[in-house]
Amino acid sequence: MRISVSKSKNAASYYIVESFRDLSGKVKTKIVQKLGTEESIRAEHGDVDPMIWAKEKLAEALAGRDAQKLSSSRKITVTLNEKKDKAETSAVRNAGCLMLDSVYHEFGLSNICEEIHAKHVHVRGFN
């Protein structure tokens, strides 16, 4: 996210915008929040520099987005404490791979990767 200033001959408007890629891979921008014109910002918030005020609002928006990402994320912890023989012929040697394989299929990561690759062919590493 970033600050965008749109200037006309009568006013300068401040926006918080975000850039993203559409399904065809083209870069697009969308307005996240309209902060107002230079005059309205000075009228509402006193005699402050509108760009400095806009950067503070951007920092608040980024902090809110990061907090939202943290609240929606999950952490998985796996502890393997067994002491087993890890010789070349041992069946326990590659047991960690089996556990990760079951998690991979349980969460449907293969399907997710296929969908990402189908929608975003410009992104590498999902096929």
Side-chain angles (χ1 to χ4, degrees):
M1 289 198 294
R2 61 185 169 84
I3 300 292
S4 175
V5 181
S6 175
K7 294 183 180 181
S8 68
K9 73 177 186 180
N10 295 328
S13 297
Y14 290 83
Y15 302 94
I16 296 177
V17 296
E18 185 171 26
S19 299
F20 64 97
R21 291 190 183 269
D22 65 358
L23 296 178
S24 64
K26 294 181 181 177
V27 177
K28 304 283 184 171
T29 59
K30 70 176 182 176
I31 296 174
V32 176
Q33 184 178 3
K34 182 180 189 301
L35 300 175
T37 63
E38 189 172 341
E39 293 175 3
S40 67
I41 292 171
R42 286 195 171 146
E44 290 178 21
H45 303 286
D47 193 22
V48 297
D49 183 20
M51 183 54 88
I52 293 172
W53 180 82
K55 286 181 181 180
E56 290 172 1
K57 294 299 274 183
L58 175 64
E60 290 174 12
L62 287 172
R65 185 175 75 170
D66 291 343
Q68 181 183 11
K69 281 183 181 179
L70 286 176
S71 68
S72 64
S73 65
R74 295 182 184 154
K75 184 176 182 179
I76 299 174
T77 305
V78 178
T79 306
L80 301 173
N81 288 331
E82 287 187 44
K83 303 283 185 191
K84 298 279 185 172
D85 180 32
K86 294 182 181 167
E88 289 284 331
T89 58
S90 173
V92 178
R93 181 169 182 202
N94 293 322
C97 179
L98 294 175
M99 186 212 47
L100 291 176
D101 189 50
S102 67
V103 169
Y104 178 78
H105 291 292
E106 183 178 331
F107 286 124
L109 294 177
S110 59
N111 297 336
I112 293 170
C113 292
E114 288 173 8
E115 289 175 13
I116 291 172
H117 182 66
K119 287 181 182 178
H120 306 285
V121 292
H122 61 280
V123 178
R124 302 285 181 233
F126 286 102
N127 51 0

